[in-house]
Amino acid sequence: MNLETKHVRPFLLAVLLFIPAMLLPFCVFPQLKKEAKAPDSAGIRRIADFARVWGVIHYFHPNMGKGKLNADSLMIANIGDLLADPSAQNLKKSLATMLSDLKDPYSKLLNDPDPKSAAQKNTSTQYPAEALGNYQLAKKELYLAVPQELFLKQRVPDSIIGKHKAIRSFVIDLRNNSLNADLGLKQYIRFVQPLIASLINSTLIFPTSRSFYYKGLMRQDYPHDLSIRSPDEKGFIKDQLQVHNGFRNISEGAYLLPAKSVSLPEQARFCFLVNRNVNINTLRSLMALRNRNLCRLIFVGELPEYLHGDSFPMQLSDGLSLQIRTSEMIYEDGTLGTFPDLILKDDPETLLKSDLQRTAFKLLHTPLKNTAEKTIENTVYIRKPQYSYPSATVPDARLRLLGLFNFWNSIYYFSPNKHLIPTSWDLSLTYFIPKFLEADSDSSYFMALMELTASIKDGHSILIKNKIGRTPAGIFDGNLPLLSNSLNGKTYLTAILPDSLQQNALAQLRTGDEVLAIDHIPVAQHSKEWSRFIVASNEAGFNREYDATWFAAGSAGTEAVITTRRNGIDQQTSLKRIKRDDYYNLRGKLVRTPAVPELYPPFCKILPGNIGYLRMNRIYSKELDSISNLLKNCKSIIVDARGYPKDGKIGTALAGYIATKPDTVAYNVFPFVISPDLSKNATIIDYEIIKPNPNQNLKHKKYYVLVDEGNQSQGEWNIIALQGVTKATTIGCTTAGANGMAVTINFPGDYFSFFSGFGEFYPDHTPNQKSGVKIDIPVKRTLEGLISGRDEVMGKALEILKDQR
């Protein structure tokens, strides 16, 4: 598998480390003015109910995957009254109008609080229970009642049909007075099944329930009119960024084989009378037979809803309940099939025996033909890209909630790491609804998005503003000209940037000073407040982001007071925040001299002692032949895997050069989602297998792999691949622990984010998410090393190699 498709794209390295900071510290700006009075807790629950219902429709209603419905429009067009007044009445009204837009009578609000009880009600009409109920109405017409009670006497009525050679029209009444699993099955096996088997000449496949399946979630920014990859020389299209979605038949594919077990008169015609109390096999086999135009079918009473697919019941606030159809019945010819010829009300006054019989025989005297033109149904899931709604102003409340609902449902159904979220994801919806309702300014909306994306504790879930969009002005577009690092629960200055306009103020500070407070807020409290907004899977990832971007960030031009301690003496220094671009330019000019070896070109070299050195994330797969020639005589090779790769295939390619046999180095766990009922969903495992490259130059050597918190996603996979094909010694610091295909999620206002779309595991079931890669020799950085720029991870590797020589 091309690892560009399974991990976050290479251009995101810079984003992961240096995304423009725009969060609002609590001490800088006053409380934001609210758009309107927030709803009470009952109103919030009703809005959350609407979000959940919309999510089920969005991902599971059959029409959604055929391009017939627009999920955004369903939400935007129907939530307005509920937002204006989140009352019980408006919840019911909003849901009713949204469900009516589905044009599906089987997705509906329910008056009966228990939807199952309505389906189990027995009909009031009493149907014939006479032995065989054999009535010959005319010379060539026979009415035959075969209720399930008949089979209490162990009688098989098949021979009755064969005895009437002159009969050409048969009305078979199979209606039952009650549901009885045992007798209904006997009615099917002893009479219906052999009769239908005699009517068919080829295998009859029963209609089957078809629902969506999702092997993970498709990227929401996937262009609908483009193919991400071109066909190769053999015509194959590989490595599509669309993850496998489609329709899936979820029944066991019941069928009936032809068998002339009943002697039928020549050119005999059959009309069957059924109701919802007959066995499910009887109903589905007769529907399949009618779909072939081999019988007539009259249904008395309400059709069982399972003939139209599965429905998902939902219990909502205020005792409200509804059901949403989540699958449809697909027939053997690839269509949704035909309906019964007639559906009659179950009314004793209108269903006189003689009238019903005349209606049935009249049907038999009309030509058999399709009741309507049928269309073969698509079996490919069509999902259009999610629109990002760019705008010159803050998106309105409906659009803001659309983004929240979309993100919440995506995580609820498709995140393989939902169990790692430290708070209840079910409860998070009611937590965030008020925040998004009140987010009527650039800063408050951005903060709400940051807190939402950070809440899933996934290092992939970084929030980004599209280039064509609008970045909130004046919100965290500046930094103090300082670098900091967190060590052992404390924060230290590790570099003073050469800002010429603040030379006097900066001269008061020294590298190694402990930072106590920023704008009089203790650093421990400051970082804790940021933890709600900084995207990270683990502490290493959080410290990386906090130190590199968010420490002392604020609006460019604003002043900040930094409190430091040196030799037991505290001091306060006032500094101005400089523009973010100027800050990064000064960082780029900062020169540190690593003791061993410099991490600049060449990225492949031979160190003293004939030790090979390879900076994996700065080379390309096409260079591996020449690199292998350079390092072929080295017995030990240091693979510096730190950072994000320039070549998404380099980890797999290098592992192939090292591997001596095909080897499974990891496996990926994809959510396999077929239903909004989470208990019915499963997972699919894909194995990551490395195949050896025939080049022998890099095989049978001792490898040392260097890692740190800069390894994330593709950068972590590269390490796992190397660890799987060689007994490498992994040295370094905890990695970011965010791996497994960054799935794009769009937000109105031209924002987008990601989440880890599948779980990555070692063969021994150790997860990569949150934990990071396995490390054999941990390295703890020191303040002295950070100040001097000493590469302590590389130093540890050389120390080990020196001891082994």
Side-chain angles (χ1 to χ4, degrees), residues 379-394:
T379 55
V380 176
Y381 184 20
I382 301 168
R383 178 165 292 282
K384 297 179 180 179
Q386 182 79 22
Y387 191 54
S388 59
Y389 300 95
S391 63
T393 59
V394 178

Side-chain angles (χ1 to χ4, degrees), residues 352-647:
L352 296 175
K353 185 183 298 182
S354 59
D355 291 340
L356 182 58
Q357 291 167 352
R358 279 194 293 269
T359 299
F361 284 112
K362 184 178 179 180
L363 270 177
L364 286 176
H365 295 317
T366 59
L368 279 168
K369 61 181 180 180
N370 283 325
T371 56
E373 183 179 350
K374 297 189 294 183
T375 302
I376 294 178
E377 287 291 310
N378 63 316
T379 55
V380 176
Y381 184 20
I382 301 168
R383 178 165 292 282
K384 297 179 180 179
Q386 182 79 22
Y387 191 54
S388 59
Y389 300 95
S391 63
T393 59
V394 178
D396 68 20
R398 293 175 303 171
L399 287 176
R400 298 196 300 269
L401 287 180
L402 173 65
L404 169 62
F405 295 174
N406 178 42
F407 186 84
W408 186 89
N409 279 286
S410 297
I411 300 301
Y412 182 77
Y413 290 114
F414 301 107
S415 173
N417 303 304
K418 189 171 64 173
H419 63 288
L420 297 177
I421 300 175
T423 56
S424 167
W425 192 243
D426 287 337
L427 298 178
S428 66
L429 187 55
T430 53
Y431 172 80
F432 280 108
I433 284 172
K435 291 181 177 290
F436 275 75
L437 284 174
E438 297 168 9
D440 57 352
S441 67
D442 286 336
S443 54
S444 60
Y445 181 49
F446 191 83
M447 288 177 66
L449 289 174
M450 286 291 285
E451 186 173 5
L452 174 66
T453 53
S455 68
I456 65 173
K457 301 304 177 186
D458 180 352
H460 268 145
S461 190
I462 188 168
L463 181 68
I464 302 173
K465 183 83 170 178
N466 276 316
K467 292 181 180 180
I468 61 172
R470 190 176 45 87
T471 300
I475 304 173
F476 282 95
D477 52 356
N479 286 78
L480 297 180
L482 305 168
L483 295 185
S484 70
N485 284 90
S486 301
L487 286 174
N488 303 320
K490 296 183 178 182
T491 300
Y492 298 92
L493 295 180
T494 53
I496 312 296
L497 300 183
D499 181 11
S500 59
L501 298 180
Q502 301 190 75
Q503 290 182 2
N504 293 336
L506 291 172
Q508 302 175 37
L509 302 172
R510 298 286 185 277
T511 55
D513 288 352
E514 181 186 353
V515 181
L516 301 179
I518 301 166
D519 284 326
H520 310 293
I521 299 176
V523 166
Q525 179 183 344
H526 187 266
S527 63
K528 184 177 180 180
E529 289 174 344
W530 278 105
S531 67
R532 292 169 48 210
F533 303 96
I534 293 177
V535 170
S537 297
N538 56 25
E539 184 180 2
F542 173 82
N543 289 338
R544 181 193 72 189
E545 296 298 305
Y546 180 72
D547 293 340
T549 304
W550 305 108
F551 167 77
S555 298
T558 60
E559 286 195 357
V561 176
I562 182 168
T563 304
T564 56
R565 176 175 293 169
R566 186 190 315 147
N567 299 325
I569 300 174
D570 299 350
Q571 69 172 13
Q572 293 183 348
T573 306
S574 294
L575 293 169
K576 279 190 176 183
R577 295 181 175 94
I578 61 177
K579 292 181 179 180
R580 183 61 48 80
D581 289 344
D582 296 337
Y583 169 75
Y584 286 134
N585 287 334
L586 292 176
R587 282 185 56 160
K589 295 177 181 178
L590 187 66
V591 177
R592 296 182 178 184
T593 307
V596 288
E598 63 183 37
L599 299 182
Y600 301 101
F603 298 124
C604 179
K605 63 188 78 173
I606 297 178
L607 304 178
N610 198 34
I611 299 170
Y613 173 82
L614 179 62
R615 186 81 189 276
M616 181 172 63
N617 292 328
R618 290 297 178 268
I619 61 173
Y620 295 88
S621 302
K622 62 183 180 181
E623 301 171 326
L624 286 176
D625 276 341
S626 59
I627 287 172
S628 70
N629 287 330
L630 175 65
L631 302 180
K632 64 182 179 181
N633 294 321
C634 297
K635 293 183 179 180
S636 298
I637 297 176
I638 296 173
V639 179
D640 193 341
R642 292 174 290 180
Y644 199 84
K646 288 186 175 182
D647 180 354

